[in-house]
mmCIF file of all heavy atoms in Angstrom:
data_model
loop_
_atom_site.group_PDB
_atom_site.id
_atom_site.type_symbol
_atom_site.label_atom_id
_atom_site.label_comp_id
_atom_site.label_asym_id
_atom_site.label_seq_id
_atom_site.Cartn_x
_atom_site.Cartn_y
_atom_site.Cartn_z
ATOM 1 N N TRP L 32 -4.853 7.028 -1.320
ATOM 2 C CA TRP L 32 -6.120 6.820 -2.018
ATOM 3 C C TRP L 32 -6.863 5.606 -1.460
ATOM 4 O O TRP L 32 -8.066 5.640 -1.244
ATOM 5 C CB TRP L 32 -5.858 6.645 -3.519
ATOM 6 C CG TRP L 32 -7.096 6.592 -4.336
ATOM 7 C CD1 TRP L 32 -7.736 7.640 -4.937
ATOM 8 C CD2 TRP L 32 -7.875 5.427 -4.650
ATOM 9 N NE1 TRP L 32 -8.856 7.190 -5.592
ATOM 10 C CE2 TRP L 32 -8.959 5.835 -5.425
ATOM 11 C CE3 TRP L 32 -7.749 4.074 -4.327
ATOM 12 C CZ2 TRP L 32 -9.920 4.953 -5.898
ATOM 13 C CZ3 TRP L 32 -8.704 3.184 -4.794
ATOM 14 C CH2 TRP L 32 -9.767 3.629 -5.574
ATOM 15 N N VAL L 33 -6.124 4.512 -1.216
ATOM 16 C CA VAL L 33 -6.726 3.290 -0.676
ATOM 17 C C VAL L 33 -7.338 3.564 0.686
ATOM 18 O O VAL L 33 -8.457 3.136 0.981
ATOM 19 C CB VAL L 33 -5.690 2.143 -0.608
ATOM 20 C CG1 VAL L 33 -6.198 0.988 0.236
ATOM 21 C CG2 VAL L 33 -5.336 1.663 -2.004
ATOM 22 N N ARG L 34 -6.620 4.291 1.541
ATOM 23 C CA ARG L 34 -7.131 4.584 2.883
ATOM 24 C C ARG L 34 -8.454 5.352 2.808
ATOM 25 O O ARG L 34 -9.389 5.041 3.526
ATOM 26 C CB ARG L 34 -6.127 5.408 3.681
ATOM 27 C CG ARG L 34 -6.637 5.729 5.082
ATOM 28 C CD ARG L 34 -5.794 6.734 5.801
ATOM 29 N NE ARG L 34 -4.436 6.270 5.972
ATOM 30 C CZ ARG L 34 -3.689 6.578 7.011
ATOM 31 N NH1 ARG L 34 -4.162 7.332 7.961
ATOM 32 N NH2 ARG L 34 -2.463 6.155 7.090
ATOM 33 N N ILE L 35 -8.536 6.289 1.902
ATOM 34 C CA ILE L 35 -9.734 7.125 1.784
ATOM 35 C C ILE L 35 -10.880 6.397 1.077
ATOM 36 O O ILE L 35 -12.038 6.500 1.495
ATOM 37 C CB ILE L 35 -9.402 8.433 1.030
ATOM 38 C CG1 ILE L 35 -8.460 9.282 1.867
ATOM 39 C CG2 ILE L 35 -10.670 9.204 0.677
ATOM 40 C CD1 ILE L 35 -7.824 10.428 1.104
ATOM 41 N N ASN L 36 -10.575 5.649 0.027
ATOM 42 C CA ASN L 36 -11.614 5.113 -0.851
ATOM 43 C C ASN L 36 -11.974 3.640 -0.673
ATOM 44 O O ASN L 36 -13.081 3.249 -1.034
ATOM 45 C CB ASN L 36 -11.216 5.337 -2.316
ATOM 46 C CG ASN L 36 -11.159 6.801 -2.646
ATOM 47 O OD1 ASN L 36 -12.169 7.441 -2.843
ATOM 48 N ND2 ASN L 36 -9.951 7.346 -2.693
ATOM 49 N N LEU L 37 -11.073 2.830 -0.153
ATOM 50 C CA LEU L 37 -11.359 1.395 -0.077
ATOM 51 C C LEU L 37 -11.483 0.838 1.329
ATOM 52 O O LEU L 37 -12.304 -0.037 1.572
ATOM 53 C CB LEU L 37 -10.295 0.584 -0.826
ATOM 54 C CG LEU L 37 -10.280 0.696 -2.341
ATOM 55 C CD1 LEU L 37 -9.213 -0.225 -2.916
ATOM 56 C CD2 LEU L 37 -11.628 0.360 -2.938
ATOM 57 N N ILE L 38 -10.655 1.301 2.240
ATOM 58 C CA ILE L 38 -10.659 0.750 3.592
ATOM 59 C C ILE L 38 -11.904 1.254 4.320
ATOM 60 O O ILE L 38 -12.031 2.444 4.597
ATOM 61 C CB ILE L 38 -9.382 1.140 4.367
ATOM 62 C CG1 ILE L 38 -8.142 0.671 3.623
ATOM 63 C CG2 ILE L 38 -9.427 0.577 5.787
ATOM 64 C CD1 ILE L 38 -7.984 -0.806 3.481
ATOM 65 N N LYS L 39 -12.810 0.335 4.606
ATOM 66 C CA LYS L 39 -14.080 0.711 5.232
ATOM 67 C C LYS L 39 -14.081 0.501 6.737
ATOM 68 O O LYS L 39 -14.870 1.092 7.449
ATOM 69 C CB LYS L 39 -15.236 -0.096 4.608
ATOM 70 C CG LYS L 39 -15.362 0.098 3.111
ATOM 71 C CD LYS L 39 -15.624 1.542 2.760
ATOM 72 C CE LYS L 39 -15.764 1.718 1.252
ATOM 73 N NZ LYS L 39 -15.808 3.093 0.849
ATOM 74 N N GLU L 40 -13.211 -0.376 7.219
ATOM 75 C CA GLU L 40 -13.157 -0.680 8.640
ATOM 76 C C GLU L 40 -11.708 -0.690 9.122
ATOM 77 O O GLU L 40 -10.832 -1.132 8.411
ATOM 78 C CB GLU L 40 -13.768 -2.054 8.926
ATOM 79 C CG GLU L 40 -15.229 -2.169 8.575
ATOM 80 C CD GLU L 40 -15.755 -3.562 8.869
ATOM 81 O OE1 GLU L 40 -15.215 -4.223 9.769
ATOM 82 O OE2 GLU L 40 -16.696 -3.975 8.194
ATOM 83 N N ARG L 41 -11.488 -0.190 10.297
ATOM 84 C CA ARG L 41 -10.206 -0.267 10.998
ATOM 85 C C ARG L 41 -8.984 0.049 10.128
ATOM 86 O O ARG L 41 -8.118 -0.802 9.909
ATOM 87 C CB ARG L 41 -10.058 -1.628 11.642
ATOM 88 C CG ARG L 41 -11.228 -1.923 12.596
ATOM 89 C CD ARG L 41 -11.087 -3.191 13.307
ATOM 90 N NE ARG L 41 -9.934 -3.093 14.203
ATOM 91 C CZ ARG L 41 -9.504 -4.077 14.947
ATOM 92 N NH1 ARG L 41 -10.111 -5.234 14.921
ATOM 93 N NH2 ARG L 41 -8.459 -3.929 15.718
ATOM 94 N N PRO L 42 -8.900 1.270 9.610
ATOM 95 C CA PRO L 42 -7.748 1.627 8.765
ATOM 96 C C PRO L 42 -6.407 1.470 9.474
ATOM 97 O O PRO L 42 -5.382 1.260 8.829
ATOM 98 C CB PRO L 42 -8.017 3.084 8.384
ATOM 99 C CG PRO L 42 -8.991 3.579 9.386
ATOM 100 C CD PRO L 42 -9.794 2.396 9.832
ATOM 101 N N GLU L 43 -6.414 1.526 10.804
ATOM 102 C CA GLU L 43 -5.171 1.365 11.557
ATOM 103 C C GLU L 43 -4.597 -0.043 11.418
ATOM 104 O O GLU L 43 -3.423 -0.268 11.696
ATOM 105 C CB GLU L 43 -5.380 1.718 13.036
ATOM 106 C CG GLU L 43 -6.234 0.744 13.813
ATOM 107 C CD GLU L 43 -7.747 0.931 13.669
ATOM 108 O OE1 GLU L 43 -8.186 1.809 12.902
ATOM 109 O OE2 GLU L 43 -8.475 0.172 14.330
ATOM 110 N N MET L 44 -5.406 -0.998 10.970
ATOM 111 C CA MET L 44 -4.918 -2.356 10.746
ATOM 112 C C MET L 44 -4.179 -2.474 9.405
ATOM 113 O O MET L 44 -3.470 -3.437 9.168
ATOM 114 C CB MET L 44 -6.076 -3.365 10.773
ATOM 115 C CG MET L 44 -6.794 -3.437 12.100
ATOM 116 S SD MET L 44 -5.739 -3.942 13.454
ATOM 117 C CE MET L 44 -5.385 -5.614 13.003
ATOM 118 N N PHE L 45 -4.369 -1.474 8.545
ATOM 119 C CA PHE L 45 -3.726 -1.484 7.233
ATOM 120 C C PHE L 45 -2.553 -0.511 7.166
ATOM 121 O O PHE L 45 -1.512 -0.830 6.607
ATOM 122 C CB PHE L 45 -4.758 -1.128 6.154
ATOM 123 C CG PHE L 45 -4.208 -1.114 4.755
ATOM 124 C CD1 PHE L 45 -3.821 -2.293 4.142
ATOM 125 C CD2 PHE L 45 -4.082 0.068 4.054
ATOM 126 C CE1 PHE L 45 -3.313 -2.290 2.848
ATOM 127 C CE2 PHE L 45 -3.581 0.087 2.763
ATOM 128 C CZ PHE L 45 -3.189 -1.093 2.166
ATOM 129 N N MET L 46 -2.737 0.667 7.760
ATOM 130 C CA MET L 46 -1.703 1.693 7.649
ATOM 131 C C MET L 46 -1.238 2.186 9.008
ATOM 132 O O MET L 46 -1.993 2.202 9.975
ATOM 133 C CB MET L 46 -2.213 2.874 6.828
ATOM 134 C CG MET L 46 -2.438 2.506 5.377
ATOM 135 S SD MET L 46 -2.771 3.923 4.328
ATOM 136 C CE MET L 46 -1.199 4.745 4.333
ATOM 137 N N LYS L 47 0.010 2.592 9.030
ATOM 138 C CA LYS L 47 0.607 3.242 10.195
ATOM 139 C C LYS L 47 1.339 4.457 9.659
ATOM 140 O O LYS L 47 2.296 4.320 8.898
ATOM 141 C CB LYS L 47 1.566 2.291 10.903
ATOM 142 C CG LYS L 47 2.159 2.868 12.164
ATOM 143 C CD LYS L 47 3.000 1.836 12.872
ATOM 144 C CE LYS L 47 3.520 2.411 14.180
ATOM 145 N NZ LYS L 47 4.323 1.430 14.902
ATOM 146 N N GLY L 48 0.833 5.644 9.992
ATOM 147 C CA GLY L 48 1.387 6.865 9.409
ATOM 148 C C GLY L 48 1.037 6.911 7.935
ATOM 149 O O GLY L 48 -0.107 6.714 7.556
ATOM 150 N N ASP L 49 2.045 7.120 7.088
ATOM 151 C CA ASP L 49 1.785 7.179 5.641
ATOM 152 C C ASP L 49 2.232 5.910 4.914
ATOM 153 O O ASP L 49 2.382 5.893 3.699
ATOM 154 C CB ASP L 49 2.462 8.407 5.028
ATOM 155 C CG ASP L 49 3.981 8.323 5.050
ATOM 156 O OD1 ASP L 49 4.516 7.463 5.770
ATOM 157 O OD2 ASP L 49 4.628 9.119 4.360
ATOM 158 N N SER L 50 2.420 4.821 5.670
ATOM 159 C CA SER L 50 2.868 3.566 5.072
ATOM 160 C C SER L 50 1.979 2.419 5.542
ATOM 161 O O SER L 50 1.143 2.599 6.426
ATOM 162 C CB SER L 50 4.319 3.287 5.458
ATOM 163 O OG SER L 50 4.807 2.167 4.737
ATOM 164 N N VAL L 51 2.179 1.252 4.944
ATOM 165 C CA VAL L 51 1.471 0.073 5.426
ATOM 166 C C VAL L 51 2.082 -0.347 6.757
ATOM 167 O O VAL L 51 3.241 -0.041 7.048
ATOM 168 C CB VAL L 51 1.525 -1.095 4.415
ATOM 169 C CG1 VAL L 51 0.745 -0.771 3.169
ATOM 170 C CG2 VAL L 51 2.943 -1.483 4.081
ATOM 171 N N ARG L 52 1.298 -1.042 7.559
ATOM 172 C CA ARG L 52 1.800 -1.531 8.842
ATOM 173 C C ARG L 52 2.895 -2.580 8.619
ATOM 174 O O ARG L 52 2.890 -3.270 7.595
ATOM 175 C CB ARG L 52 0.667 -2.155 9.644
ATOM 176 C CG ARG L 52 -0.354 -1.161 10.136
ATOM 177 C CD ARG L 52 -1.319 -1.785 11.113
ATOM 178 N NE ARG L 52 -0.674 -2.188 12.355
ATOM 179 C CZ ARG L 52 -0.327 -1.363 13.339
ATOM 180 N NH1 ARG L 52 -0.556 -0.071 13.228
ATOM 181 N NH2 ARG L 52 0.241 -1.823 14.432
ATOM 182 N N PRO L 53 3.794 -2.713 9.575
ATOM 183 C CA PRO L 53 4.774 -3.801 9.485
ATOM 184 C C PRO L 53 4.030 -5.134 9.393
ATOM 185 O O PRO L 53 2.990 -5.322 10.019
ATOM 186 C CB PRO L 53 5.534 -3.706 10.810
ATOM 187 C CG PRO L 53 5.366 -2.274 11.233
ATOM 188 C CD PRO L 53 4.001 -1.867 10.753
ATOM 189 N N GLY L 54 4.538 -6.037 8.569
ATOM 190 C CA GLY L 54 3.884 -7.327 8.402
ATOM 191 C C GLY L 54 2.976 -7.395 7.192
ATOM 192 O O GLY L 54 2.380 -8.432 6.923
ATOM 193 N N ILE L 55 2.863 -6.292 6.440
ATOM 194 C CA ILE L 55 2.079 -6.306 5.211
ATOM 195 C C ILE L 55 3.045 -6.267 4.034
ATOM 196 O O ILE L 55 3.840 -5.343 3.896
ATOM 197 C CB ILE L 55 1.083 -5.128 5.142
ATOM 198 C CG1 ILE L 55 0.041 -5.287 6.246
ATOM 199 C CG2 ILE L 55 0.411 -5.081 3.769
ATOM 200 C CD1 ILE L 55 -0.991 -4.192 6.300
ATOM 201 N N LEU L 56 2.981 -7.306 3.233
ATOM 202 C CA LEU L 56 3.813 -7.422 2.041
ATOM 203 C C LEU L 56 3.115 -6.700 0.892
ATOM 204 O O LEU L 56 1.919 -6.875 0.685
ATOM 205 C CB LEU L 56 4.005 -8.904 1.692
ATOM 206 C CG LEU L 56 4.794 -9.246 0.447
ATOM 207 C CD1 LEU L 56 6.240 -8.780 0.588
ATOM 208 C CD2 LEU L 56 4.751 -10.746 0.214
ATOM 209 N N VAL L 57 3.863 -5.869 0.171
ATOM 210 C CA VAL L 57 3.315 -5.146 -0.971
ATOM 211 C C VAL L 57 4.070 -5.585 -2.216
ATOM 212 O O VAL L 57 5.302 -5.531 -2.259
ATOM 213 C CB VAL L 57 3.447 -3.609 -0.792
ATOM 214 C CG1 VAL L 57 2.847 -2.883 -1.984
ATOM 215 C CG2 VAL L 57 2.789 -3.156 0.504
ATOM 216 N N LEU L 58 3.313 -6.052 -3.204
ATOM 217 C CA LEU L 58 3.901 -6.482 -4.471
ATOM 218 C C LEU L 58 3.354 -5.629 -5.602
ATOM 219 O O LEU L 58 2.157 -5.366 -5.662
ATOM 220 C CB LEU L 58 3.558 -7.950 -4.752
ATOM 221 C CG LEU L 58 3.957 -8.971 -3.690
ATOM 222 C CD1 LEU L 58 3.403 -10.338 -4.050
ATOM 223 C CD2 LEU L 58 5.460 -9.025 -3.537
ATOM 224 N N VAL L 59 4.242 -5.193 -6.487
ATOM 225 C CA VAL L 59 3.837 -4.463 -7.684
ATOM 226 C C VAL L 59 4.215 -5.349 -8.865
ATOM 227 O O VAL L 59 5.404 -5.610 -9.085
ATOM 228 C CB VAL L 59 4.542 -3.093 -7.788
ATOM 229 C CG1 VAL L 59 4.133 -2.379 -9.066
ATOM 230 C CG2 VAL L 59 4.240 -2.238 -6.562
ATOM 231 N N ASN L 60 3.209 -5.844 -9.566
ATOM 232 C CA ASN L 60 3.444 -6.779 -10.676
ATOM 233 C C ASN L 60 4.336 -7.939 -10.238
ATOM 234 O O ASN L 60 5.320 -8.281 -10.892
ATOM 235 C CB ASN L 60 4.026 -6.055 -11.892
ATOM 236 C CG ASN L 60 3.108 -4.964 -12.384
ATOM 237 O OD1 ASN L 60 1.890 -5.112 -12.376
ATOM 238 N ND2 ASN L 60 3.675 -3.848 -12.799
ATOM 239 N N ASP L 61 4.009 -8.514 -9.077
ATOM 240 C CA ASP L 61 4.696 -9.675 -8.488
ATOM 241 C C ASP L 61 6.118 -9.388 -8.014
ATOM 242 O O ASP L 61 6.885 -10.315 -7.760
ATOM 243 C CB ASP L 61 4.708 -10.867 -9.463
ATOM 244 C CG ASP L 61 3.309 -11.398 -9.730
ATOM 245 O OD1 ASP L 61 2.477 -11.370 -8.802
ATOM 246 O OD2 ASP L 61 3.058 -11.829 -10.864
ATOM 247 N N CYS L 62 6.476 -8.128 -7.881
ATOM 248 C CA CYS L 62 7.810 -7.748 -7.381
ATOM 249 C C CYS L 62 7.654 -6.999 -6.056
ATOM 250 O O CYS L 62 6.820 -6.095 -5.949
ATOM 251 C CB CYS L 62 8.521 -6.874 -8.406
ATOM 252 S SG CYS L 62 10.183 -6.384 -7.899
ATOM 253 N N ASP L 63 8.452 -7.368 -5.060
ATOM 254 C CA ASP L 63 8.411 -6.706 -3.759
ATOM 255 C C ASP L 63 8.655 -5.207 -3.931
ATOM 256 O O ASP L 63 9.617 -4.802 -4.585
ATOM 257 C CB ASP L 63 9.484 -7.308 -2.850
ATOM 258 C CG ASP L 63 9.386 -6.847 -1.406
ATOM 259 O OD1 ASP L 63 9.084 -5.663 -1.169
ATOM 260 O OD2 ASP L 63 9.632 -7.676 -0.519
ATOM 261 N N TRP L 64 7.789 -4.398 -3.348
ATOM 262 C CA TRP L 64 7.889 -2.951 -3.529
ATOM 263 C C TRP L 64 9.214 -2.397 -3.021
ATOM 264 O O TRP L 64 9.663 -1.352 -3.486
ATOM 265 C CB TRP L 64 6.697 -2.243 -2.915
ATOM 266 C CG TRP L 64 6.657 -2.157 -1.407
ATOM 267 C CD1 TRP L 64 7.046 -3.084 -0.499
ATOM 268 C CD2 TRP L 64 6.184 -1.046 -0.653
ATOM 269 N NE1 TRP L 64 6.824 -2.643 0.772
ATOM 270 C CE2 TRP L 64 6.303 -1.383 0.711
ATOM 271 C CE3 TRP L 64 5.668 0.190 -0.978
ATOM 272 C CZ2 TRP L 64 5.917 -0.525 1.737
ATOM 273 C CZ3 TRP L 64 5.280 1.034 0.049
ATOM 274 C CH2 TRP L 64 5.409 0.685 1.382
ATOM 275 N N GLU L 65 9.855 -3.058 -2.066
ATOM 276 C CA GLU L 65 11.148 -2.595 -1.565
ATOM 277 C C GLU L 65 12.208 -2.668 -2.669
ATOM 278 O O GLU L 65 13.141 -1.875 -2.686
ATOM 279 C CB GLU L 65 11.593 -3.428 -0.360
ATOM 280 C CG GLU L 65 10.679 -3.314 0.844
ATOM 281 C CD GLU L 65 10.724 -1.937 1.493
ATOM 282 O OE1 GLU L 65 11.733 -1.223 1.333
ATOM 283 O OE2 GLU L 65 9.736 -1.575 2.159
ATOM 284 N N LEU L 66 12.058 -3.600 -3.596
ATOM 285 C CA LEU L 66 13.001 -3.728 -4.702
ATOM 286 C C LEU L 66 12.668 -2.770 -5.847
ATOM 287 O O LEU L 66 13.513 -2.513 -6.698
ATOM 288 C CB LEU L 66 13.012 -5.166 -5.232
ATOM 289 C CG LEU L 66 13.392 -6.244 -4.217
ATOM 290 C CD1 LEU L 66 13.234 -7.627 -4.832
ATOM 291 C CD2 LEU L 66 14.800 -6.021 -3.710
ATOM 292 N N CYS L 67 11.444 -2.271 -5.857
ATOM 293 C CA CYS L 67 10.990 -1.381 -6.934
ATOM 294 C C CYS L 67 11.184 0.099 -6.609
ATOM 295 O O CYS L 67 11.023 0.939 -7.476
ATOM 296 C CB CYS L 67 9.502 -1.604 -7.208
ATOM 297 S SG CYS L 67 9.087 -3.246 -7.751
ATOM 298 N N GLY L 68 11.453 0.418 -5.353
ATOM 299 C CA GLY L 68 11.613 1.814 -4.972
ATOM 300 C C GLY L 68 10.749 2.236 -3.798
ATOM 301 O O GLY L 68 10.684 3.413 -3.474
ATOM 302 N N GLY L 69 10.068 1.283 -3.165
ATOM 303 C CA GLY L 69 9.261 1.593 -1.983
ATOM 304 C C GLY L 69 8.158 2.596 -2.280
ATOM 305 O O GLY L 69 7.474 2.501 -3.290
ATOM 306 N N HIS L 70 8.008 3.569 -1.408
ATOM 307 C CA HIS L 70 6.955 4.583 -1.543
ATOM 308 C C HIS L 70 7.040 5.368 -2.845
ATOM 309 O O HIS L 70 6.041 5.872 -3.339
ATOM 310 C CB HIS L 70 7.021 5.585 -0.381
ATOM 311 C CG HIS L 70 6.559 5.010 0.908
ATOM 312 N ND1 HIS L 70 7.435 4.534 1.841
ATOM 313 C CD2 HIS L 70 5.323 4.841 1.409
ATOM 314 C CE1 HIS L 70 6.754 4.094 2.871
ATOM 315 N NE2 HIS L 70 5.470 4.261 2.637
ATOM 316 N N ASP L 71 8.245 5.495 -3.372
ATOM 317 C CA ASP L 71 8.445 6.312 -4.574
ATOM 318 C C ASP L 71 8.278 5.533 -5.878
ATOM 319 O O ASP L 71 8.486 6.081 -6.957
ATOM 320 C CB ASP L 71 9.828 6.968 -4.532
ATOM 321 C CG ASP L 71 9.965 7.898 -3.335
ATOM 322 O OD1 ASP L 71 8.978 8.574 -2.995
ATOM 323 O OD2 ASP L 71 11.050 7.930 -2.724
ATOM 324 N N THR L 72 7.881 4.274 -5.779
ATOM 325 C CA THR L 72 7.642 3.466 -6.976
ATOM 326 C C THR L 72 6.578 4.129 -7.842
ATOM 327 O O THR L 72 5.491 4.442 -7.364
ATOM 328 C CB THR L 72 7.171 2.044 -6.589
ATOM 329 O OG1 THR L 72 8.169 1.434 -5.780
ATOM 330 C CG2 THR L 72 6.908 1.203 -7.827
ATOM 331 N N GLU L 73 6.901 4.373 -9.098
ATOM 332 C CA GLU L 73 5.923 4.969 -10.019
ATOM 333 C C GLU L 73 5.081 3.874 -10.640
ATOM 334 O O GLU L 73 5.614 2.900 -11.183
ATOM 335 C CB GLU L 73 6.632 5.785 -11.093
ATOM 336 C CG GLU L 73 7.257 7.041 -10.557
ATOM 337 C CD GLU L 73 7.873 7.912 -11.637
ATOM 338 O OE1 GLU L 73 7.594 7.689 -12.839
ATOM 339 O OE2 GLU L 73 8.635 8.812 -11.271
ATOM 340 N N LEU L 74 3.784 4.039 -10.552
ATOM 341 C CA LEU L 74 2.858 3.062 -11.110
ATOM 342 C C LEU L 74 2.495 3.427 -12.534
ATOM 343 O O LEU L 74 2.535 4.590 -12.913
ATOM 344 C CB LEU L 74 1.601 2.999 -10.238
ATOM 345 C CG LEU L 74 1.861 2.567 -8.783
ATOM 346 C CD1 LEU L 74 0.613 2.746 -7.947
ATOM 347 C CD2 LEU L 74 2.357 1.145 -8.736
ATOM 348 N N GLU L 75 2.145 2.403 -13.299
ATOM 349 C CA GLU L 75 1.759 2.591 -14.694
ATOM 350 C C GLU L 75 0.391 1.964 -14.930
ATOM 351 O O GLU L 75 -0.064 1.130 -14.157
ATOM 352 C CB GLU L 75 2.797 1.949 -15.621
ATOM 353 C CG GLU L 75 4.168 2.580 -15.501
ATOM 354 C CD GLU L 75 5.195 1.925 -16.405
ATOM 355 O OE1 GLU L 75 4.829 0.998 -17.159
ATOM 356 O OE2 GLU L 75 6.363 2.335 -16.344
ATOM 357 N N GLU L 76 -0.230 2.373 -16.018
ATOM 358 C CA GLU L 76 -1.535 1.840 -16.407
ATOM 359 C C GLU L 76 -1.519 0.309 -16.381
ATOM 360 O O GLU L 76 -0.564 -0.314 -16.842
ATOM 361 C CB GLU L 76 -1.868 2.336 -17.818
ATOM 362 C CG GLU L 76 -3.249 2.004 -18.290
ATOM 363 C CD GLU L 76 -4.317 2.914 -17.690
ATOM 364 O OE1 GLU L 76 -4.003 4.038 -17.258
ATOM 365 O OE2 GLU L 76 -5.473 2.477 -17.669
ATOM 366 N N LYS L 77 -2.559 -0.270 -15.797
ATOM 367 C CA LYS L 77 -2.784 -1.719 -15.729
ATOM 368 C C LYS L 77 -1.836 -2.455 -14.784
ATOM 369 O O LYS L 77 -1.765 -3.691 -14.828
ATOM 370 C CB LYS L 77 -2.754 -2.353 -17.123
ATOM 371 C CG LYS L 77 -3.850 -1.832 -18.029
ATOM 372 C CD LYS L 77 -3.853 -2.532 -19.351
ATOM 373 C CE LYS L 77 -4.956 -1.966 -20.245
ATOM 374 N NZ LYS L 77 -4.949 -2.569 -21.572
#
């Protein structure tokens, strides 16, 4: 969704394949996404 709706310039700098590029830290509610389940992390309202 982010790639389609928010990234306006150079999407290759944000994503590689179906994931973020190496070197981009992803936090869900201040927790590293790798500890939350990575790509399969289920998001909740807010």
Side-chain angles (χ1 to χ4, degrees):
W32 187 92
V33 167
R34 180 190 299 213
I35 293 167
N36 295 283
L37 290 183
I38 303 296
K39 302 300 181 189
E40 298 179 28
R41 303 184 66 183
E43 70 278 3
M44 297 299 293
F45 180 69
M46 293 190 69
K47 183 175 183 179
D49 68 346
S50 188
V51 293
R52 291 190 66 77
I55 295 179
L56 177 64
V57 181
L58 303 173
V59 178
N60 301 322
D61 295 325
C62 181
D63 189 321
W64 74 323
E65 297 291 336
L66 301 175
C67 298
H70 288 98
D71 298 322
T72 301
E73 290 184 14
L74 299 171
E75 297 179 2
E76 187 78 23
K77 298 184 181 177

